[in-house]
Amino acid sequence: MNFSSKATSAKETSCLKISHTDPDIYSAITHRLLFHFSHTRPETQIVVICVGTDRSTGDSLGPLVGTALSRFHSPLFHLYGTLEEPVHAVNLEETLSLINERYSNPFVIGIDACLGHSTSVGCIQVVEGPLRPGAGVNKQLPPVGDIHLTGIVNVGGFMEYFVLQNTRLSLVMRLSDIIATSLYSALKQWNLHASSAATRE
């Protein structure tokens, strides 16, 4: 769980922030992800870490995304964090250590719910740099990811735990569907591009 502050001008170029009601949201997120993938080597392994817990409605975004992605049974990425096997404050460090042991310099994508300003609720962000899980509820946890996606599920700044428990599930489900669908689409397109590039060499 993060807290989203207003982006500085230096960060705006590396951050996409778009409302879930925008008709172009799937395309916008997919293309932004492809932009980030383009800075990796085609053979780089992709690891997706979905942070959160189903014990809190607002904080269930990550596990919902992970569960949606798991249904694709895809070899295009390695997945951590689902409703059945969540990645949260208790096991995050252990999970990151396991990933470091299993993969050599993977490209890591962090996914988490986020609290923000009232005008930003319902937005999805794609941001260069690591996720800072726990920031929204004053927890010190290790950073996650080379890039990260967050869904702003409610207003932050006051009684965060209460706010998370009283977040609309319909919004969390909508955001999780958009993130999972867009991410999988981007991964498929990037794999096709990488495969065709390898064939030409």
Side-chain angles (χ1 to χ4, degrees), residues 13-194:
T13 55
S14 59
C15 175
L16 169 71
K17 182 177 179 182
I18 184 168
S19 171
H20 75 284
T21 59
D22 191 307
D24 296 322
I25 189 167
Y26 289 96
S27 175
I29 294 175
T30 299
H31 283 91
R32 181 53 63 100
L33 288 169
L34 286 170
F35 167 77
H36 289 297
F37 294 164
S38 71
H39 293 90
T40 69
R41 298 177 65 86
E43 67 273 15
T44 300
Q45 296 187 86
I46 306 290
V47 175
V48 182
I49 306 177
C50 301
V51 182
T53 172
D54 62 347
R55 294 179 182 272
S56 169
T57 305
D59 206 21
S60 64
L61 176 73
L64 284 168
V65 172
T67 296
L69 288 171
S70 70
R71 296 191 182 109
F72 293 116
H73 302 287
S74 175
L76 300 178
F77 57 92
H78 306 280
L79 178 66
Y80 294 84
T82 63
L83 289 171
E84 288 191 1
E85 297 181 5
V87 173
H88 43 59
V90 176
N91 64 2
L92 178 59
E93 289 192 44
E94 177 186 346
T95 301
L96 292 175
S97 296
L98 180 64
I99 289 168
N100 287 330
E101 292 173 6
R102 286 184 175 175
Y103 313 105
S104 176
N105 296 318
F107 185 77
V108 179
I109 303 169
I111 297 173
D112 196 5
C114 184
L115 296 176
H117 302 282
S118 59
T119 54
S120 297
V121 174
C123 288
I124 292 172
Q125 301 176 120
V126 183
V127 186
E128 184 178 3
L131 184 71
R132 304 286 177 180
V137 289
N138 299 313
K139 286 184 179 179
Q140 296 295 321
L141 297 172
V144 177
D146 295 286
I147 64 170
H148 65 273
L149 292 90
T150 54
I152 304 176
V153 299
N154 215 325
V155 179
F158 180 70
M159 297 180 67
E160 280 82 1
Y161 283 106
F162 178 79
V163 169
L164 287 173
Q165 294 288 355
N166 287 274
T167 295
R168 291 290 304 276
L169 179 60
S170 60
L171 176 61
V172 178
M173 293 290 290
R174 168 73 174 151
L175 297 179
S176 68
D177 173 72
I178 294 170
I179 292 172
T181 302
S182 301
L183 177 53
Y184 186 57
S185 176
L187 288 166
K188 286 194 298 181
Q189 291 183 46
W190 175 242
N191 181 65
L192 286 173
H193 169 78

